[in-house]
Amino acid sequence: MIRLRQVIIVPVLVCLLSAFALAPCRVLAAEQQSGIVTFTDGDIDHYYAKGDNISFSIGPFPCQSGKTDYLVFGIMEKVSSDFAVSDSPLEGLASSEKGYYMTVTADSDGFFDVSGQISAAADQLPAGVLAVKIYSSDWNLVVNEKTGTGAFIPVVAADGTPALIIGKTSTGKPADPLLANSLVSVDGNDDLDCVYFHGQQISINFTIPNTVLLSYLPVRQLTVTSGIFEDLNVFNTEISPLTINLISATGSGLKIDATVNNPDNITLPSGVLGVKLNLPSTISGIPGATDMQQPMPVVSSLGKAVIAGVKVPSNMFVNSNPPLAEIKNLYNTEQAITFTKGSQGSITFVPGLDIIDNRNELAALDQNVNINFDLEKQNFVFEVKTSALSFLRGKSAGIKAYGVMEKLGLDNLPGQNITEFINMAVVDEEGKTVPLEHIGDYIDQENVNYDYSTDILTIPVKHFTRYEIGAGGNAPAAGALTASPESINLKAGEYKQIVLTADMSDGVSMDVTDEAEWISDNPLVATVNAGMVSAVSSGCAVITASYKDRIVSVPVNVAGATVDLRVNPELLNLEVGGKAGKISVFATVNGKTYDVTKKCEFEVYDEDVAKVDSKGKVTATGGGDTVINVTFQGESVEVPVTAVAKLKKIVVEPKSLKLRAGDLADIAVTGVYANGVEEDVTDQAVFTSSKERICTVEDGTVYAEGVGSAKITVTVGKLKKTVSVKVAR
């Protein structure tokens, strides 16, 4: 590691001075120059801004003892840069064609004593080290005898401490560790999801917008601490996620080459990769340097967080192809993923899976993906418990069963009409067997395929639950059962014929009205015979038809019947971005209650507040109040809905304060809600000071009490921000 003051600046200083000559007198040799500059102003760090006083003694120059010379002042923007004299760095300097100067007489030992005040226009000067050119009384420049060029002396003490002029500079972005503010980004990243696994190489760019710090940055003396932001308020460095290979300088900052350190991809906590720059104490006092040492998240060029610590369990029975660690975009997979478990079969999910936002569920793959052949029941079982694997919920997939003829004891299975020879049962998430007439909601029956050459059965499924595949008979099985009409309204004494149609597994639709069994749940209201409904008296009844284990129901309303409509819940309170609500509707007719939710019509008055689908599912779209109207057979009921937007984050302005004792300043707090609305929440915030002897705060107004630094904590609900406060005299 290289120390900036002692190794970078001092050697340059010695090289400059070792060859100075004031004819006919020579400056002391380099080994004798134990202190060319001695500061006498009492400043500790020797960083000077406009209006600051500076004084120092420069020498000795024995042959100049008692002589009057001209000292021209300028700025060295970098250690190796030219001497800039475009503007006066000190107040009260005289002007000449050589630059801005003061007339100084050396004392009897050959020392020049200099004192002055940094120019009020210093913030327009280039930032750098104060430097001096020495001219004799007849304006002859002291020259470097080796090079023949004019020499200049940086104002640097023997211990390497420079007089650093804080001129025109940018101190960079705020240190608040938000993705939008981060100065740290990945370099040349082709990993679309920015998710990194063990052993991957990563190049990180750390932008240093502070021009003073960038100019004097001792790269070899820097270290970097890496960690994980489990959230953007907690930087976990217990296990280092990066092995730092090289830190090098760039035109705008640093490049950090590293290797991800997450053995077996199970060691690190999951979160956003972050780095913290550690500066040496010799430059840590430069204004803005503290901000550069805050932990910052690593982002992509598009501002997306770089994720590390995703746990991909090893030694599982469930395997994925391609392996999860090799997928380029785990936010929205761009290729199909096949899960296998043993040699019984596989499940292939279509692209479009959001795995990374549900990364904590990966450990549950083994327990919640079942691909098996049940020897006792003699059937294949394909099951995905999406309650534990939400990234697979509602996603279509393809099931492959291996060795179908062998395992099911079937011979010469045809490639066509395969569904005639197998039974496909579906068990829903509640553990109930799905009726055959609804199996089409789960299986794309038209595209079920069997490959005789490989003995593999392929079944496309629309979303995943539990599927059981077994041997079937040779006769076509009944599929969906349809009744026409689906509901009946009659007056007492009237008749209506119901026609029943079955969609068979061989693709043929059959009229099974006469073959079906019919029953009325309320013969006092309506009776049925071979599908012919007779209205007896006012009221409601349900006609049920069954055919080969399939059933369908037809509600009948006879004029004069009283329908009592009830909803549950009677009102809804929802949160924007939160869980949806559900309205269930029940109709009571002649003392009997029926769930009629699926037969109702739902209408919301204000869709800017909430939306409702045909099944009574209600989703909040924005804050406010509205009403949902529910209608069934001419009867209606209203359900009030209140939706509120959740406060997602708070923004405080300003983020830092610099005050003098006795000053006061206001802090404004803006709330950003889930629906994108922003509003002033200052009056809802709670303000506390970490050091009330430095500053106090009341209702957002900060009072500077004494010299020092403190932090103001701003709290709104569970959200917090801090404002740094520095108070000077």
Side-chain angles (χ1 to χ4, degrees), residues 264-293:
D264 297 323
N265 288 315
I266 59 173
T267 305
L268 293 173
S270 178
V272 179
L273 181 65
V275 295
K276 176 182 177 295
L277 188 61
N278 304 310
L279 299 177
S281 59
T282 52
I283 62 169
S284 61
I286 294 178
T290 300
D291 287 348
M292 293 300 99
Q293 298 187 89

Side-chain angles (χ1 to χ4, degrees), residues 498 516-523 526-533 541-546 551-556:
I498 300 174
E517 294 183 5
W518 299 84
I519 189 171
S520 170
D521 74 332
N522 193 352
T527 61
V528 63
N529 182 21
M532 179 63 73
V533 178
V542 176
I543 304 300
T544 301
S546 60
I551 61 172
V552 66
S553 297
V554 178
V556 178

Side-chain angles (χ1 to χ4, degrees), residues 340-357:
T340 58
K341 196 170 186 178
S343 59
Q344 309 301 332
S346 66
I347 302 171
T348 300
F349 283 92
V350 298
L353 304 182
D354 180 2
I355 297 177
I356 198 62
D357 285 332

Side-chain angles (χ1 to χ4, degrees), residues 600-636:
C600 292
E601 294 181 359
F602 299 88
E603 181 183 7
V604 63
Y605 291 165
D606 188 350
E607 290 193 346
D608 289 336
V609 176
K611 289 186 178 181
V612 61
D613 66 12
S614 60
K615 297 179 181 179
K617 180 181 178 181
V618 184
T619 305
T621 56
D625 298 307
T626 189
V627 173
I628 294 175
N629 187 65
V630 183
T631 304
F632 173 74
Q633 291 188 0
E635 299 291 331
S636 64

Side-chain angles (χ1 to χ4, degrees), residues 223 234 340:
T223 60
V234 178
T340 58

Side-chain angles (χ1 to χ4, degrees), residues 424-466:
M424 297 182 293
V426 182
V427 180
D428 65 19
E429 290 153 348
E430 297 179 357
K432 298 178 181 179
T433 300
V434 175
L436 285 180
E437 66 264 31
H438 295 303
I439 204 168
D441 295 337
Y442 293 81
I443 296 176
D444 182 2
Q445 294 171 288
E446 294 183 359
N447 290 300
V448 175
N449 175 264
Y450 174 73
D451 186 339
Y452 183 85
S453 63
T454 59
D455 197 18
I456 294 176
L457 174 69
T458 302
I459 303 175
V461 299
K462 299 177 181 179
H463 50 90
F464 231 97
T465 178
R466 180 184 174 95

Side-chain angles (χ1 to χ4, degrees), residues 488-497 523-527 532-539 556-560:
I488 298 174
N489 292 302
L490 297 173
K491 295 180 181 179
E494 292 182 340
Y495 300 89
K496 186 68 175 181
Q497 177 66 52
L524 295 177
V525 174
T527 61
M532 179 63 73
V533 178
S534 301
V536 178
S537 61
S538 63
V556 178
N557 184 39
V558 178

Side-chain angles (χ1 to χ4, degrees), residues 155-314:
V155 179
V156 180
D159 66 354
T161 303
L164 188 62
I165 306 300
I166 307 302
K168 183 167 49 180
T169 181
S170 166
T171 58
K173 298 182 181 180
D176 191 4
L178 299 176
L179 297 181
N181 293 339
S182 182
L183 301 174
V184 187
S185 61
V186 286
D187 179 45
N189 177 56
D190 65 345
D191 201 338
L192 296 179
D193 55 11
C194 293
V195 180
Y196 284 80
F197 294 90
H198 179 68
Q200 281 188 263
Q201 302 299 308
I202 183 170
S203 290
I204 299 171
N205 287 324
F206 198 124
T207 302
I208 309 290
N210 185 322
T211 54
V212 175
L213 186 61
L214 183 60
S215 299
Y216 292 89
L217 198 64
V219 176
R220 296 182 185 177
Q221 199 174 354
L222 299 176
T223 60
V224 171
T225 300
S226 63
I228 296 292
F229 284 99
E230 297 182 62
D231 61 43
L232 288 181
N233 295 311
V234 178
F235 187 57
N236 186 341
T237 58
E238 292 181 3
I239 303 174
S240 177
L242 296 179
T243 299
I244 307 300
N245 302 323
L246 178 66
I247 302 175
S248 55
T250 67
S252 59
L254 300 171
K255 182 179 179 182
I256 304 167
D257 293 311
T259 305
V260 177
N261 175 38
N262 187 18
D264 297 323
N265 288 315
I266 59 173
T267 305
L268 293 173
S270 178
V272 179
L273 181 65
V275 295
K276 176 182 177 295
L277 188 61
N278 304 310
L279 299 177
S281 59
T282 52
I283 62 169
S284 61
I286 294 178
T290 300
D291 287 348
M292 293 300 99
Q293 298 187 89
Q294 297 297 317
M296 294 191 188
V298 183
V299 300
S300 71
S301 59
L302 299 177
K304 181 182 291 185
V306 172
I307 304 294
V310 175
K311 290 180 173 57
V312 180
S314 58

